[in-house]
Amino acid sequence: MTDSPRITAKSWLMVAILGFTWGGTFLVTEVALTGITPFWLAAGRICFAAILMVAIWGALGARLFEGNARSGTWTSLAAIGAFSSAIPFMLLAWGQQYVTSGFAGVSMASVALIVLPLAHFFVPGERMTWRRTLGFIIGFVGVCVLIGGQAFEASGAQLETAGRIACICAASCYGISSVLMRRLPPVDPIGLSTVLLLIAACIVLPAAWIVEGPPPLPDTQTLVVIGFLGLIPTAAANMLRVLVIRSAGPVFMSITNYQVPVWSVLMGAVLLNEPLPSSLLLAMALILTGVGLSQYGALRRLFAR
């Protein structure tokens, strides 16, 4: 797409829903991992989401591109499918075995800082201004304050360095996929979501089999949890992510990554009685300040209307 990003009230609502949804995914994933291995959990949620989206897409006419796809578009789709779900899901599943949860949270927040320079060079209308850069840095500092001492704490695991590299690579994958998705020609968002999940399924299924062997037989509770993960944070959230990136752009989409740790901490306190960090209010103030600075123009236009 060559037109400038269109950030509306609907865009803000969609990123808020995504932040809330993905923030709660960590709790549900912990439950699922008691009954299934990490790679097969990733494969299960992606495949469930892909089957669901195929049914919806088919019922709506199975449209994809509005015109003829230009040369290289299908190569871009294959790359986006790999970078948006399959590869980061596997990298995080492997990396989180060796790093602290705090470092994993910080690595996901770094998506915003990774997207910013990429979008500056490769996406029209996404210039890297001083205000936008400062805003994203302040937001990232807010996430580090929220997570506290665990942000860069060592786990002591033998493969910790490799685990940290895996988490940062997963964050980079999300950044790359967002920029590539914005650059696609006009495309049906439901069709795009479906095709990307199908590509991801074709990658993660053989990878899970190679790494972890044949799939285990999970119990009923685990199957229900996998179904939930496939329906809400994978299928529905993936469709919202496509809509946000295609309309408001990858830089705007990346502010979701600052919301995820906040919701994760709040849900842990409400549902699991985990203690709230004393730095929560300061962290939230920094994150909101960072978002406000980075999206100053969009907020000004929104309130002007």
Side-chain angles (χ1 to χ4, degrees):
M1 297 179 73
T2 57
D3 55 327
S4 297
R6 301 184 306 276
I7 300 173
T8 64
K10 184 178 178 181
S11 306
W12 286 99
L13 177 61
M14 287 192 289
V15 295
I17 292 172
L18 284 171
F20 177 80
T21 301
W22 286 335
T25 300
F26 293 106
L27 298 177
V28 183
T29 300
E30 285 185 17
V31 175
L33 286 172
T34 61
I36 194 169
T37 51
F39 274 40
W40 278 112
L41 173 60
R45 62 184 287 192
I46 288 175
C47 290
F48 181 89
I51 292 170
L52 178 65
M53 290 303 299
V54 165
I56 296 172
W57 186 38
L60 296 175
R63 293 179 294 110
L64 187 55
F65 296 108
E66 294 182 8
N68 294 326
R70 60 173 181 252
S71 176
T73 297
W74 282 101
T75 303
S76 296
L77 282 176
I80 297 168
F83 288 139
S84 65
S85 298
I87 296 176
F89 277 21
M90 292 186 289
L91 285 172
L92 283 172
W94 185 84
Q96 284 187 260
Q97 298 175 96
Y98 309 109
V99 304
T100 63
S101 59
F103 182 85
V106 167
S107 67
M108 290 301 96
S110 69
V111 171
L113 301 179
I114 293 169
V115 166
L116 193 59
L118 287 174
H120 175 81
F121 290 106
F122 298 109
V123 180
E126 296 278 28
R127 305 302 294 174
M128 189 171 156
T129 64
W130 71 267
R131 182 186 286 119
R132 180 173 280 182
T133 304
L134 179 62
F136 279 111
I137 292 173
I138 291 173
F140 182 76
V141 171
V143 172
C144 294
V145 169
L146 174 66
I147 294 172
Q150 288 189 335
F152 300 102
E153 191 177 70
S155 67
Q158 185 177 0
L159 294 175
E160 181 176 18
T161 299
R164 290 189 172 195
I165 293 172
C167 289
I168 295 299
C169 287
S172 300
C173 286
Y174 286 129
I176 293 169
S177 68
S178 295
V179 171
L180 289 175
M181 192 184 300
R182 174 66 183 172
R183 290 173 58 86
L184 287 173
V187 63
D188 179 73
I190 295 178
L192 178 58
S193 302
T194 305
V195 170
L196 295 181
L197 285 170
L198 287 172
I199 292 169
C202 291
I203 296 170
V204 75
L205 273 174
W209 196 293
I210 292 169
V211 174
E212 297 177 345
L217 184 61
D219 56 30
T220 303
Q221 175 182 293
T222 304
L223 286 174
V224 171
V225 173
I226 292 173
F228 173 82
L229 287 170
L231 175 63
I232 305 299
T234 307
N238 187 62
M239 190 160 56
L240 275 183
R241 179 173 181 258
V242 167
L243 288 169
V244 172
I245 292 173
R246 296 290 292 167
S247 60
V251 172
F252 182 78
M253 172 65 205
S254 66
I255 65 175
T256 304
N257 297 92
Y258 291 157
Q259 301 176 57
V260 171
V262 175
W263 285 116
S264 181
V265 168
L266 290 175
M267 289 184 189
V270 173
L271 300 177
L272 302 179
N273 293 319
E274 295 178 349
L276 282 173
S278 58
S279 56
L280 176 63
L281 292 178
L282 173 61
M284 291 181 68
L286 286 170
I287 291 170
L288 290 173
T289 300
V291 170
L293 272 175
S294 65
Q295 300 299 324
Y296 174 76
L299 284 167
R300 186 179 61 183
R301 289 190 297 271
L302 179 65
F303 286 109
R305 287 197 296 270

